[in-house]
mmCIF file of all heavy atoms in Angstrom:
data_model
loop_
_atom_site.group_PDB
_atom_site.id
_atom_site.type_symbol
_atom_site.label_atom_id
_atom_site.label_comp_id
_atom_site.label_asym_id
_atom_site.label_seq_id
_atom_site.Cartn_x
_atom_site.Cartn_y
_atom_site.Cartn_z
ATOM 1 N N SER A 1 47.779 -64.421 -39.403
ATOM 2 C CA SER A 1 46.809 -65.294 -38.725
ATOM 3 C C SER A 1 46.575 -64.854 -37.277
ATOM 4 O O SER A 1 45.456 -64.939 -36.775
ATOM 5 C CB SER A 1 47.250 -66.757 -38.788
ATOM 6 O OG SER A 1 48.439 -66.947 -38.063
ATOM 7 N N GLN A 2 47.626 -64.373 -36.602
ATOM 8 C CA GLN A 2 47.444 -63.870 -35.238
ATOM 9 C C GLN A 2 46.582 -62.612 -35.247
ATOM 10 O O GLN A 2 45.704 -62.452 -34.396
ATOM 11 C CB GLN A 2 48.798 -63.570 -34.592
ATOM 12 C CG GLN A 2 49.589 -64.803 -34.236
ATOM 13 C CD GLN A 2 50.993 -64.473 -33.796
ATOM 14 O OE1 GLN A 2 51.681 -63.639 -34.386
ATOM 15 N NE2 GLN A 2 51.441 -65.129 -32.731
ATOM 16 N N LYS A 3 46.805 -61.718 -36.210
ATOM 17 C CA LYS A 3 45.997 -60.506 -36.306
ATOM 18 C C LYS A 3 44.540 -60.858 -36.583
ATOM 19 O O LYS A 3 43.634 -60.270 -35.993
ATOM 20 C CB LYS A 3 46.550 -59.576 -37.396
ATOM 21 C CG LYS A 3 47.833 -58.900 -36.982
ATOM 22 C CD LYS A 3 48.329 -57.933 -38.043
ATOM 23 C CE LYS A 3 49.590 -57.233 -37.556
ATOM 24 N NZ LYS A 3 50.066 -56.213 -38.475
ATOM 25 N N HIS A 4 44.316 -61.825 -37.464
ATOM 26 C CA HIS A 4 42.954 -62.263 -37.768
ATOM 27 C C HIS A 4 42.289 -62.817 -36.506
ATOM 28 O O HIS A 4 41.133 -62.514 -36.211
ATOM 29 C CB HIS A 4 42.971 -63.322 -38.876
ATOM 30 C CG HIS A 4 41.628 -63.879 -39.191
ATOM 31 N ND1 HIS A 4 40.696 -63.184 -39.950
ATOM 32 C CD2 HIS A 4 41.030 -65.040 -38.839
ATOM 33 C CE1 HIS A 4 39.598 -63.906 -40.047
ATOM 34 N NE2 HIS A 4 39.781 -65.036 -39.376
ATOM 35 N N HIS A 5 43.031 -63.627 -35.761
ATOM 36 C CA HIS A 5 42.500 -64.225 -34.528
ATOM 37 C C HIS A 5 42.092 -63.132 -33.535
ATOM 38 O O HIS A 5 41.000 -63.176 -32.967
ATOM 39 C CB HIS A 5 43.546 -65.151 -33.914
ATOM 40 C CG HIS A 5 43.106 -65.830 -32.669
ATOM 41 N ND1 HIS A 5 42.093 -66.756 -32.645
ATOM 42 C CD2 HIS A 5 43.529 -65.711 -31.386
ATOM 43 C CE1 HIS A 5 41.918 -67.179 -31.395
ATOM 44 N NE2 HIS A 5 42.772 -66.556 -30.627
ATOM 45 N N ILE A 6 42.953 -62.151 -33.350
ATOM 46 C CA ILE A 6 42.654 -61.075 -32.402
ATOM 47 C C ILE A 6 41.468 -60.243 -32.887
ATOM 48 O O ILE A 6 40.573 -59.913 -32.111
ATOM 49 C CB ILE A 6 43.889 -60.184 -32.168
ATOM 50 C CG1 ILE A 6 44.986 -60.986 -31.461
ATOM 51 C CG2 ILE A 6 43.520 -58.944 -31.349
ATOM 52 C CD1 ILE A 6 46.341 -60.318 -31.453
ATOM 53 N N ARG A 7 41.448 -59.886 -34.172
ATOM 54 C CA ARG A 7 40.360 -59.057 -34.709
ATOM 55 C C ARG A 7 38.993 -59.702 -34.503
ATOM 56 O O ARG A 7 38.011 -59.029 -34.264
ATOM 57 C CB ARG A 7 40.571 -58.798 -36.196
ATOM 58 C CG ARG A 7 41.514 -57.677 -36.476
ATOM 59 C CD ARG A 7 41.444 -57.241 -37.934
ATOM 60 N NE ARG A 7 42.249 -56.069 -38.140
ATOM 61 C CZ ARG A 7 43.405 -56.068 -38.808
ATOM 62 N NH1 ARG A 7 43.858 -57.172 -39.340
ATOM 63 N NH2 ARG A 7 44.085 -54.949 -38.934
ATOM 64 N N HIS A 8 38.928 -61.017 -34.632
ATOM 65 C CA HIS A 8 37.641 -61.708 -34.578
ATOM 66 C C HIS A 8 37.332 -62.348 -33.231
ATOM 67 O O HIS A 8 36.260 -62.899 -33.039
ATOM 68 C CB HIS A 8 37.580 -62.759 -35.692
ATOM 69 C CG HIS A 8 37.563 -62.122 -37.047
ATOM 70 N ND1 HIS A 8 38.711 -61.792 -37.722
ATOM 71 C CD2 HIS A 8 36.539 -61.704 -37.813
ATOM 72 C CE1 HIS A 8 38.398 -61.217 -38.863
ATOM 73 N NE2 HIS A 8 37.084 -61.143 -38.945
ATOM 74 N N PHE A 9 38.270 -62.274 -32.313
ATOM 75 C CA PHE A 9 38.090 -62.867 -30.983
ATOM 76 C C PHE A 9 37.272 -61.915 -30.125
ATOM 77 O O PHE A 9 37.479 -60.714 -30.136
ATOM 78 C CB PHE A 9 39.466 -63.077 -30.341
ATOM 79 C CG PHE A 9 39.447 -63.938 -29.119
ATOM 80 C CD1 PHE A 9 39.731 -65.283 -29.219
ATOM 81 C CD2 PHE A 9 39.172 -63.408 -27.867
ATOM 82 C CE1 PHE A 9 39.749 -66.093 -28.091
ATOM 83 C CE2 PHE A 9 39.171 -64.204 -26.747
ATOM 84 C CZ PHE A 9 39.461 -65.552 -26.860
ATOM 85 N N THR A 10 36.334 -62.441 -29.387
ATOM 86 C CA THR A 10 35.596 -61.630 -28.426
ATOM 87 C C THR A 10 35.479 -62.410 -27.129
ATOM 88 O O THR A 10 35.392 -63.627 -27.151
ATOM 89 C CB THR A 10 34.182 -61.268 -28.929
ATOM 90 O OG1 THR A 10 33.481 -62.450 -29.204
ATOM 91 C CG2 THR A 10 34.240 -60.395 -30.160
ATOM 92 N N PRO A 11 35.483 -61.745 -26.036
ATOM 93 C CA PRO A 11 35.616 -60.304 -25.834
ATOM 94 C C PRO A 11 37.080 -59.878 -25.807
ATOM 95 O O PRO A 11 37.977 -60.692 -25.595
ATOM 96 C CB PRO A 11 34.969 -60.077 -24.477
ATOM 97 C CG PRO A 11 35.244 -61.339 -23.736
ATOM 98 C CD PRO A 11 35.221 -62.435 -24.778
ATOM 99 N N LYS A 12 37.289 -58.594 -26.015
ATOM 100 C CA LYS A 12 38.614 -58.004 -25.876
ATOM 101 C C LYS A 12 38.450 -56.577 -25.365
ATOM 102 O O LYS A 12 37.492 -55.891 -25.723
ATOM 103 C CB LYS A 12 39.426 -58.073 -27.156
ATOM 104 C CG LYS A 12 38.790 -57.434 -28.342
ATOM 105 C CD LYS A 12 39.637 -57.713 -29.591
ATOM 106 C CE LYS A 12 38.875 -57.353 -30.823
ATOM 107 N NZ LYS A 12 38.208 -58.441 -31.458
ATOM 108 N N ILE A 13 39.384 -56.186 -24.524
ATOM 109 C CA ILE A 13 39.346 -54.864 -23.909
ATOM 110 C C ILE A 13 40.694 -54.190 -24.136
ATOM 111 O O ILE A 13 41.736 -54.756 -23.807
ATOM 112 C CB ILE A 13 39.072 -54.947 -22.393
ATOM 113 C CG1 ILE A 13 37.767 -55.692 -22.116
ATOM 114 C CG2 ILE A 13 39.043 -53.550 -21.775
ATOM 115 C CD1 ILE A 13 37.573 -56.060 -20.662
ATOM 116 N N ALA A 14 40.666 -52.998 -24.713
ATOM 117 C CA ALA A 14 41.880 -52.213 -24.938
ATOM 118 C C ALA A 14 41.931 -51.085 -23.914
ATOM 119 O O ALA A 14 40.930 -50.424 -23.655
ATOM 120 C CB ALA A 14 41.900 -51.659 -26.351
ATOM 121 N N PHE A 15 43.104 -50.881 -23.347
ATOM 122 C CA PHE A 15 43.317 -49.820 -22.364
ATOM 123 C C PHE A 15 44.041 -48.666 -23.046
ATOM 124 O O PHE A 15 45.121 -48.846 -23.611
ATOM 125 C CB PHE A 15 44.138 -50.336 -21.182
ATOM 126 C CG PHE A 15 43.423 -51.406 -20.415
ATOM 127 C CD1 PHE A 15 43.547 -52.739 -20.766
ATOM 128 C CD2 PHE A 15 42.598 -51.067 -19.367
ATOM 129 C CE1 PHE A 15 42.872 -53.723 -20.068
ATOM 130 C CE2 PHE A 15 41.911 -52.046 -18.661
ATOM 131 C CZ PHE A 15 42.049 -53.383 -19.012
ATOM 132 N N ILE A 16 43.413 -47.488 -22.995
ATOM 133 C CA ILE A 16 43.969 -46.305 -23.640
ATOM 134 C C ILE A 16 43.985 -45.154 -22.646
ATOM 135 O O ILE A 16 43.166 -45.107 -21.732
ATOM 136 C CB ILE A 16 43.171 -45.946 -24.912
ATOM 137 C CG1 ILE A 16 43.901 -44.908 -25.750
ATOM 138 C CG2 ILE A 16 41.762 -45.498 -24.586
ATOM 139 C CD1 ILE A 16 43.367 -44.760 -27.153
ATOM 140 N N GLY A 17 44.927 -44.259 -22.820
ATOM 141 C CA GLY A 17 45.020 -43.091 -21.952
ATOM 142 C C GLY A 17 46.378 -42.435 -22.116
ATOM 143 O O GLY A 17 47.238 -42.924 -22.855
ATOM 144 N N ARG A 18 46.567 -41.338 -21.406
ATOM 145 C CA ARG A 18 47.838 -40.627 -21.462
ATOM 146 C C ARG A 18 48.970 -41.512 -20.958
ATOM 147 O O ARG A 18 48.746 -42.470 -20.227
ATOM 148 C CB ARG A 18 47.784 -39.371 -20.589
ATOM 149 C CG ARG A 18 46.852 -38.297 -21.117
ATOM 150 C CD ARG A 18 46.879 -37.065 -20.228
ATOM 151 N NE ARG A 18 48.176 -36.425 -20.226
ATOM 152 C CZ ARG A 18 48.584 -35.546 -21.150
ATOM 153 N NH1 ARG A 18 47.789 -35.219 -22.147
ATOM 154 N NH2 ARG A 18 49.778 -35.002 -21.071
ATOM 155 N N SER A 19 50.179 -41.150 -21.347
ATOM 156 C CA SER A 19 51.353 -41.826 -20.805
ATOM 157 C C SER A 19 51.356 -41.662 -19.290
ATOM 158 O O SER A 19 51.033 -40.589 -18.782
ATOM 159 C CB SER A 19 52.629 -41.219 -21.390
ATOM 160 O OG SER A 19 52.675 -41.417 -22.771
ATOM 161 N N ASN A 20 51.693 -42.707 -18.590
ATOM 162 C CA ASN A 20 51.833 -42.698 -17.135
ATOM 163 C C ASN A 20 50.519 -42.538 -16.376
ATOM 164 O O ASN A 20 50.513 -42.121 -15.229
ATOM 165 C CB ASN A 20 52.826 -41.613 -16.705
ATOM 166 C CG ASN A 20 53.588 -42.008 -15.462
ATOM 167 O OD1 ASN A 20 53.854 -43.182 -15.252
ATOM 168 N ND2 ASN A 20 53.945 -41.047 -14.642
ATOM 169 N N VAL A 21 49.381 -42.875 -17.005
ATOM 170 C CA VAL A 21 48.105 -42.791 -16.292
ATOM 171 C C VAL A 21 47.836 -44.081 -15.509
ATOM 172 O O VAL A 21 47.010 -44.099 -14.614
ATOM 173 C CB VAL A 21 46.935 -42.475 -17.258
ATOM 174 C CG1 VAL A 21 46.565 -43.674 -18.102
ATOM 175 C CG2 VAL A 21 45.727 -41.940 -16.512
ATOM 176 N N GLY A 22 48.539 -45.162 -15.858
ATOM 177 C CA GLY A 22 48.397 -46.401 -15.101
ATOM 178 C C GLY A 22 47.758 -47.544 -15.868
ATOM 179 O O GLY A 22 47.221 -48.467 -15.262
ATOM 180 N N LYS A 23 47.826 -47.531 -17.183
ATOM 181 C CA LYS A 23 47.219 -48.595 -17.987
ATOM 182 C C LYS A 23 47.848 -49.953 -17.676
ATOM 183 O O LYS A 23 47.148 -50.926 -17.401
ATOM 184 C CB LYS A 23 47.361 -48.285 -19.486
ATOM 185 C CG LYS A 23 46.630 -47.024 -19.925
ATOM 186 C CD LYS A 23 46.877 -46.704 -21.381
ATOM 187 C CE LYS A 23 48.316 -46.425 -21.712
ATOM 188 N NZ LYS A 23 48.890 -45.225 -21.098
ATOM 189 N N SER A 24 49.167 -50.017 -17.729
ATOM 190 C CA SER A 24 49.860 -51.283 -17.471
ATOM 191 C C SER A 24 49.654 -51.736 -16.025
ATOM 192 O O SER A 24 49.458 -52.930 -15.754
ATOM 193 C CB SER A 24 51.353 -51.154 -17.779
ATOM 194 O OG SER A 24 51.552 -50.832 -19.138
ATOM 195 N N SER A 25 49.680 -50.802 -15.105
ATOM 196 C CA SER A 25 49.461 -51.148 -13.690
ATOM 197 C C SER A 25 48.056 -51.699 -13.475
ATOM 198 O O SER A 25 47.872 -52.677 -12.734
ATOM 199 C CB SER A 25 49.680 -49.927 -12.805
ATOM 200 O OG SER A 25 51.019 -49.511 -12.873
ATOM 201 N N LEU A 26 47.054 -51.098 -14.103
ATOM 202 C CA LEU A 26 45.689 -51.600 -13.986
ATOM 203 C C LEU A 26 45.585 -53.007 -14.553
ATOM 204 O O LEU A 26 44.980 -53.888 -13.944
ATOM 205 C CB LEU A 26 44.703 -50.670 -14.695
ATOM 206 C CG LEU A 26 43.259 -51.175 -14.760
ATOM 207 C CD1 LEU A 26 42.672 -51.350 -13.353
ATOM 208 C CD2 LEU A 26 42.400 -50.221 -15.585
ATOM 209 N N LEU A 27 46.196 -53.221 -15.700
ATOM 210 C CA LEU A 27 46.172 -54.547 -16.304
ATOM 211 C C LEU A 27 46.796 -55.577 -15.351
ATOM 212 O O LEU A 27 46.243 -56.650 -15.139
ATOM 213 C CB LEU A 27 46.933 -54.501 -17.631
ATOM 214 C CG LEU A 27 46.698 -55.655 -18.573
ATOM 215 C CD1 LEU A 27 46.751 -55.161 -20.003
ATOM 216 C CD2 LEU A 27 47.696 -56.746 -18.360
ATOM 217 N N ASN A 28 47.926 -55.229 -14.756
ATOM 218 C CA ASN A 28 48.578 -56.127 -13.796
ATOM 219 C C ASN A 28 47.692 -56.389 -12.583
ATOM 220 O O ASN A 28 47.639 -57.513 -12.075
ATOM 221 C CB ASN A 28 49.919 -55.550 -13.352
ATOM 222 C CG ASN A 28 50.953 -55.599 -14.453
ATOM 223 O OD1 ASN A 28 50.852 -56.378 -15.400
ATOM 224 N ND2 ASN A 28 51.964 -54.758 -14.346
ATOM 225 N N ASP A 29 47.010 -55.362 -12.106
ATOM 226 C CA ASP A 29 46.103 -55.539 -10.969
ATOM 227 C C ASP A 29 44.945 -56.464 -11.325
ATOM 228 O O ASP A 29 44.521 -57.287 -10.503
ATOM 229 C CB ASP A 29 45.554 -54.198 -10.485
ATOM 230 C CG ASP A 29 46.578 -53.384 -9.711
ATOM 231 O OD1 ASP A 29 47.619 -53.953 -9.308
ATOM 232 O OD2 ASP A 29 46.343 -52.181 -9.509
ATOM 233 N N LEU A 30 44.424 -56.342 -12.535
ATOM 234 C CA LEU A 30 43.309 -57.194 -12.958
ATOM 235 C C LEU A 30 43.686 -58.673 -12.986
ATOM 236 O O LEU A 30 42.911 -59.516 -12.554
ATOM 237 C CB LEU A 30 42.792 -56.778 -14.339
ATOM 238 C CG LEU A 30 42.016 -55.479 -14.405
ATOM 239 C CD1 LEU A 30 41.749 -55.092 -15.858
ATOM 240 C CD2 LEU A 30 40.713 -55.585 -13.627
ATOM 241 N N VAL A 31 44.876 -58.967 -13.508
ATOM 242 C CA VAL A 31 45.289 -60.371 -13.609
ATOM 243 C C VAL A 31 46.080 -60.830 -12.391
ATOM 244 O O VAL A 31 46.450 -61.989 -12.290
ATOM 245 C CB VAL A 31 46.078 -60.649 -14.906
ATOM 246 C CG1 VAL A 31 45.222 -60.365 -16.121
ATOM 247 C CG2 VAL A 31 47.378 -59.872 -14.962
ATOM 248 N N GLN A 32 46.336 -59.916 -11.477
ATOM 249 C CA GLN A 32 47.011 -60.175 -10.211
ATOM 250 C C GLN A 32 48.389 -60.799 -10.382
ATOM 251 O O GLN A 32 48.781 -61.717 -9.654
ATOM 252 C CB GLN A 32 46.120 -61.033 -9.308
ATOM 253 C CG GLN A 32 44.831 -60.335 -8.969
ATOM 254 C CD GLN A 32 43.898 -61.172 -8.131
ATOM 255 O OE1 GLN A 32 44.273 -62.209 -7.602
ATOM 256 N NE2 GLN A 32 42.680 -60.707 -8.004
ATOM 257 N N LYS A 33 49.120 -60.277 -11.378
ATOM 258 C CA LYS A 33 50.518 -60.659 -11.550
ATOM 259 C C LYS A 33 51.197 -59.629 -12.443
ATOM 260 O O LYS A 33 50.523 -58.925 -13.202
ATOM 261 C CB LYS A 33 50.658 -62.073 -12.100
ATOM 262 C CG LYS A 33 50.227 -62.285 -13.525
ATOM 263 C CD LYS A 33 50.320 -63.764 -13.866
ATOM 264 C CE LYS A 33 50.792 -64.014 -15.255
ATOM 265 N NZ LYS A 33 50.879 -65.414 -15.573
ATOM 266 N N PRO A 34 52.519 -59.518 -12.373
ATOM 267 C CA PRO A 34 53.235 -58.518 -13.173
ATOM 268 C C PRO A 34 53.388 -58.958 -14.631
ATOM 269 O O PRO A 34 54.438 -59.428 -15.042
ATOM 270 C CB PRO A 34 54.587 -58.408 -12.469
ATOM 271 C CG PRO A 34 54.789 -59.745 -11.844
ATOM 272 C CD PRO A 34 53.410 -60.235 -11.468
ATOM 273 N N LEU A 35 52.337 -58.803 -15.386
ATOM 274 C CA LEU A 35 52.310 -59.232 -16.780
ATOM 275 C C LEU A 35 52.797 -58.123 -17.709
ATOM 276 O O LEU A 35 53.651 -58.332 -18.559
ATOM 277 C CB LEU A 35 50.883 -59.640 -17.137
ATOM 278 C CG LEU A 35 50.637 -60.395 -18.412
ATOM 279 C CD1 LEU A 35 51.406 -61.698 -18.433
ATOM 280 C CD2 LEU A 35 49.151 -60.686 -18.551
ATOM 281 N N ALA A 36 52.248 -56.928 -17.541
ATOM 282 C CA ALA A 36 52.610 -55.785 -18.377
ATOM 283 C C ALA A 36 53.734 -54.997 -17.715
ATOM 284 O O ALA A 36 53.760 -54.859 -16.496
ATOM 285 C CB ALA A 36 51.391 -54.886 -18.577
ATOM 286 N N ALA A 37 54.636 -54.476 -18.518
ATOM 287 C CA ALA A 37 55.741 -53.675 -17.987
ATOM 288 C C ALA A 37 55.210 -52.322 -17.542
ATOM 289 O O ALA A 37 54.772 -51.525 -18.350
ATOM 290 C CB ALA A 37 56.819 -53.501 -19.047
ATOM 291 N N ALA A 38 55.224 -52.097 -16.238
ATOM 292 C CA ALA A 38 54.767 -50.819 -15.671
ATOM 293 C C ALA A 38 55.997 -50.081 -15.165
ATOM 294 O O ALA A 38 56.793 -50.630 -14.416
ATOM 295 C CB ALA A 38 53.782 -51.064 -14.538
ATOM 296 N N ALA A 39 56.152 -48.843 -15.617
ATOM 297 C CA ALA A 39 57.325 -48.059 -15.243
ATOM 298 C C ALA A 39 56.901 -46.761 -14.572
ATOM 299 O O ALA A 39 55.771 -46.304 -14.731
ATOM 300 C CB ALA A 39 58.156 -47.752 -16.485
ATOM 301 N N LYS A 40 57.814 -46.174 -13.845
ATOM 302 C CA LYS A 40 57.527 -44.892 -13.202
ATOM 303 C C LYS A 40 57.635 -43.746 -14.189
ATOM 304 O O LYS A 40 57.012 -42.715 -14.012
ATOM 305 C CB LYS A 40 58.473 -44.676 -12.029
ATOM 306 C CG LYS A 40 58.206 -45.638 -10.897
ATOM 307 C CD LYS A 40 59.063 -45.372 -9.700
ATOM 308 C CE LYS A 40 58.707 -46.396 -8.636
ATOM 309 N NZ LYS A 40 59.436 -46.216 -7.422
ATOM 310 N N LYS A 41 58.436 -43.920 -15.233
ATOM 311 C CA LYS A 41 58.589 -42.880 -16.254
ATOM 312 C C LYS A 41 57.535 -43.071 -17.340
ATOM 313 O O LYS A 41 57.257 -44.197 -17.748
ATOM 314 C CB LYS A 41 59.981 -42.936 -16.869
ATOM 315 C CG LYS A 41 61.083 -42.582 -15.896
ATOM 316 C CD LYS A 41 62.420 -42.599 -16.582
ATOM 317 C CE LYS A 41 63.524 -42.268 -15.597
ATOM 318 N NZ LYS A 41 64.833 -42.288 -16.256
ATOM 319 N N PRO A 42 56.956 -41.986 -17.835
ATOM 320 C CA PRO A 42 55.923 -42.101 -18.871
ATOM 321 C C PRO A 42 56.486 -42.520 -20.222
ATOM 322 O O PRO A 42 57.658 -42.322 -20.511
ATOM 323 C CB PRO A 42 55.338 -40.688 -18.942
ATOM 324 C CG PRO A 42 56.386 -39.796 -18.393
ATOM 325 C CD PRO A 42 57.167 -40.605 -17.414
ATOM 326 N N GLY A 43 55.614 -43.135 -21.016
ATOM 327 C CA GLY A 43 55.960 -43.462 -22.393
ATOM 328 C C GLY A 43 56.786 -44.715 -22.569
ATOM 329 O O GLY A 43 57.528 -44.855 -23.533
#
């Protein structure tokens, strides 16, 4: 049911890129709080 909810929910934005490019950091900056685990080491 959670997968169904996500699949059909709009809008949604997925962040993709190489390891250590800053996906989690960007997400945290957007919501202005440490939500996603951002690490200095890739992967």
Side-chain angles (χ1 to χ4, degrees):
S1 65
Q2 288 171 317
K3 287 183 178 185
H4 177 77
H5 181 66
I6 294 167
R7 278 193 174 108
H8 293 87
F9 193 96
T10 58
K12 57 186 167 264
I13 303 168
F15 296 89
I16 192 166
R18 292 182 64 84
S19 297
N20 212 32
V21 74
K23 297 176 298 295
S24 299
S25 296
L26 174 62
L27 196 146
N28 289 339
D29 285 346
L30 288 172
V31 299
Q32 298 177 12
K33 69 185 218 180
L35 193 59
K40 292 184 180 182
K41 294 182 181 180

